[in-house]
Amino acid sequence: MKYIEKLRNSGLRPTKQRLQICEVLFNSEKTFHFTINELDQKIKKQASDKISLATIYNTVHAFEKKGYLKQIPINSNQTYFDTNISDHHHFYDLKEEKLIDLENADVGPINILKKINGKKIKSVEVLVKLED
Amino acid sequence: MKYIEKLRNSGLRPTKQRLQICEVLFNSEKTFHFTINELDQKIKKQASDKISLATIYNTVHAFEKKGYLKQIPINSNQTYFDTNISDHHHFYDLKEEKLIDLENADVGPINILKKINGKKIKSVEVLVKLED
DNA sequence: TCAGTAGTTTATAATGATTCTAAAAAGGTG
DNA sequence: CACCTTTTTAGAATCATTATAAACTACTGA
Ligand SMILES: [Mn+2]
Ligand SMILES: [Mn+2]
Ligand SMILES: [Zn+2]
Ligand SMILES: [Zn+2]
């Protein structure tokens, strides 16, 4: 199974529950943005077994730590994750409360001129808020 | 008093509590970033009277709505606000969990090439995560 | 193979930021 | 001062997230 490696790399044993979470996260053609709650709903529909919220949280956090998922910096009462782990940015539609991918090419190159002593840049993320 | 106008513009009457919140927020030489909890602590030290959390939340949200404060998009369990309402960006030091201002000039001009039908750009915010 | 061990799942409780409530207090107006 | 509206506040409610601990499962090595 193709997900076993992802799980092992993340320090997780390939259990039935985790493999089903992987199916929902990584089996779709397109990448997508989600909250834990939305993922839970999706799993309820697609997976054969019930999976506890605790397992979903744990698995998502392990993948995020390993870099198989990205957390999107945004102000919301829920944390947003992204299965698109490429270097990219986001529109946030304030009315619809929806995220839209902005590929790196859609944003010019970003050159951070200021340097902080002893620190290096881990990521540069742009959030573009949209209104009507 | 110089804060009365800010309060009236935000649709709020200038009460004793709100004026004290203004003192803490807008009387300092430098702008700063804060969570509601940090603001509460600061008020406890600087203000003569005790101010309830509900009042602090209400006042901060009214100022944010009016544009006298900015909310910073970041993943944290608490919401971060900024008294610097100029168009600017942020470093986020992952280890220290501290925000640092990045002036617009410190980031090259950002040109968003993708357009979304019927939507216009309200803001463009860059978050640069720092590690050691 | 299989018992032993370490890792996992789960229901449930705990936590903590934020929002809500409703009653008391203060502001504004004439 | 009366009257009415807005505000403050303590405390409760909400809700996303994390912690707990007991039952369950995967792996290992004899
Ligand atoms: Mn996390
Ligand atoms: Mn808010
Ligand atoms: Zn994305
Ligand atoms: Zn700032």
Side-chain angles (χ1 to χ4, degrees):
Chain A
M1 179 68 89
K2 56 188 166 179
Y3 304 129
I4 293 180
E5 188 193 2
K6 263 194 166 100
L7 286 164
R8 292 232 186 268
N9 283 342
S10 307
L12 301 175
R13 286 183 181 172
T15 64
K16 191 177 51 167
Q17 290 88 343
R18 287 171 180 162
L19 288 168
Q20 291 190 93
I21 293 172
C22 283
E23 284 288 337
V24 175
L25 286 176
F26 305 121
N27 199 37
S28 66
E29 214 34 57
K30 298 185 177 73
T31 62
F32 60 95
H33 307 117
F34 65 92
T35 63
I36 295 288
N37 194 57
E38 289 165 353
L39 181 59
D40 186 41
Q41 299 305 311
K42 222 169 181 176
I43 289 169
K44 277 195 175 62
K45 280 184 199 136
Q46 295 185 33
S48 47
D49 304 276
K50 188 193 169 303
I51 300 177
S52 77
L53 256 188
T55 296
I56 297 174
Y57 271 101
N58 289 341
T59 306
V60 165
H61 282 142
F63 282 146
E64 192 257 344
K65 190 174 181 186
K66 187 62 187 178
Y68 289 132
L69 289 175
K70 277 176 57 168
Q71 229 184 301
I72 302 174
I74 193 178
N75 281 119
S76 166
N77 56 326
Q78 286 167 268
T79 303
Y80 272 84
F81 293 92
D82 199 340
T83 66
N84 179 353
I85 58 172
S86 78
D87 199 0
H88 72 287
H89 308 290
H90 294 94
F91 280 127
Y92 184 62
D93 186 326
L94 291 164
K95 186 194 263 185
E96 308 287 338
E97 297 186 346
K98 279 263 160 57
L99 284 161
I100 303 165
D101 272 354
L102 248 178
E103 291 313 319
N104 239 342
D106 297 327
V107 178
I110 297 172
N111 193 15
I112 307 298
L113 304 176
K114 191 175 181 179
K115 303 294 172 202
I116 302 288
N117 217 323
K119 302 285 177 180
K120 63 183 178 205
I121 291 173
K122 190 189 183 192
S123 66
V124 176
E125 293 162 274
V126 180
L127 182 67
V128 181
K129 289 183 183 161
L130 295 177
E131 62 189 351
D132 290 308
Chain B
M1 180 69 90
K2 56 189 166 176
Y3 304 128
I4 293 181
E5 187 193 1
K6 263 194 166 100
L7 287 164
R8 292 229 187 271
N9 282 342
S10 306
L12 301 176
R13 286 184 184 170
T15 64
K16 191 176 50 166
Q17 289 88 342
R18 286 170 180 163
L19 287 168
Q20 292 191 90
I21 293 172
C22 284
E23 283 288 336
V24 176
L25 286 176
F26 305 121
N27 198 37
S28 66
E29 215 31 60
K30 298 183 177 72
T31 62
F32 59 97
H33 307 117
F34 65 92
T35 63
I36 294 289
N37 194 57
E38 290 165 352
L39 181 59
D40 186 39
Q41 299 305 312
K42 222 170 182 177
I43 288 168
K44 276 194 175 62
K45 280 183 199 136
Q46 296 184 32
S48 46
D49 304 275
K50 186 192 171 304
I51 300 176
S52 75
L53 255 187
T55 296
I56 297 174
Y57 270 101
N58 289 341
T59 305
V60 165
H61 282 142
F63 281 146
E64 192 258 344
K65 189 173 181 186
K66 185 64 187 180
Y68 288 132
L69 290 174
K70 277 176 57 167
Q71 230 184 301
I72 302 174
I74 193 177
N75 281 120
S76 166
N77 57 326
Q78 285 168 270
T79 304
Y80 271 85
F81 293 92
D82 198 339
T83 66
N84 180 354
I85 58 171
S86 79
D87 199 359
H88 73 287
H89 308 291
H90 294 94
F91 279 127
Y92 184 61
D93 186 325
L94 291 163
K95 185 195 265 185
E96 308 287 338
E97 298 188 344
K98 278 264 159 54
L99 285 161
I100 302 165
D101 273 355
L102 248 179
E103 291 313 319
N104 238 342
D106 297 327
V107 179
I110 298 173
N111 194 15
I112 307 298
L113 304 174
K114 191 175 182 180
K115 303 295 171 200
I116 302 289
N117 218 322
K119 301 285 178 181
K120 64 183 176 206
I121 291 174
K122 190 188 183 195
S123 66
V124 176
E125 293 161 274
V126 179
L127 183 67
V128 181
K129 290 183 184 161
L130 296 177
E131 63 188 351
D132 289 313

